């Protein structure tokens, strides 16, 4: 699924961040928002992470020539379509969880 990239350290860091920043709130659960099999943000995370690892290898560091970006437009377009297809459900789930946290406080 991740073409050999180990995403578990990233997940662990995200969960530590969740506990540090929003740990007092039971309504906000990163696993149920992002990592569980039916999580509303799961596909955005998976595809975004996968593309991020690809882009890191493809673009490298420093300035990126226009031609290299132009050659990657199909991948960028797919990310855009993915965001359009799944972004609202993810946003609404995160918004609802944060609003519930505000009410709990």
């Amino acid at each position: 699924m991740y073409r050999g990239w180990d995403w578990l350290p990233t997940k662990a860091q995200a969960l530590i961040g969740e506990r540090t920043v929003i740990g007092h709130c039971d309504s906000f659960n990163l696993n149920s928002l992002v990592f569980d099999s039916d999580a509303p943000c799961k596909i955005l995370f998976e595809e975004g992470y996968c593309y991020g690892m690809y882009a890191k290898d493809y673009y490298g560091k420093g300035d990126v020539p226009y031609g290299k970006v132009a050659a990657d437009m199909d991948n960028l377009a797919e990310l855009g379509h993915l965001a359009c297809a799944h972004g609202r459900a993810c946003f609404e789930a995160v918004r609802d969880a944060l609003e519930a946290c505000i009410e709990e406080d």
Side-chain angles (χ1 to χ4, degrees):
M1 178 183 340
Y2 298 103
R3 297 187 187 105
W5 294 304
D6 184 8
W7 69 281
L8 291 177
T10 302
K11 177 182 177 182
Q13 289 175 346
L15 291 172
I16 289 169
E18 173 204 24
R19 283 185 214 104
T20 303
V21 176
I22 310 178
H24 69 284
C25 178
D26 294 333
S27 298
F28 193 92
N29 183 309
L30 204 55
N31 279 314
S32 65
L33 290 169
V34 178
F35 300 116
D36 290 349
S37 61
D38 60 345
C41 301
K42 183 177 181 66
I43 192 161
L44 293 175
F45 173 80
E46 288 178 345
E47 293 299 322
Y49 182 86
C50 184
Y51 180 76
M53 293 295 100
Y54 161 80
K56 178 181 162 189
D57 293 342
Y58 179 74
Y59 291 113
K61 294 184 179 183
D63 295 338
V64 177
Y66 174 78
K68 202 161 196 176
V69 175
D72 198 27
M73 289 314 310
D74 287 344
N75 288 322
L76 295 170
E78 284 300 315
L79 282 177
H81 292 298
L82 184 75
C84 287
H86 301 280
R88 181 170 295 278
C90 177
F91 168 80
E92 289 175 351
V94 171
R95 181 203 59 210
D96 293 348
L98 288 173
E99 286 178 349
C101 285
I102 291 168
E103 289 179 19
E104 288 174 17
D105 283 344

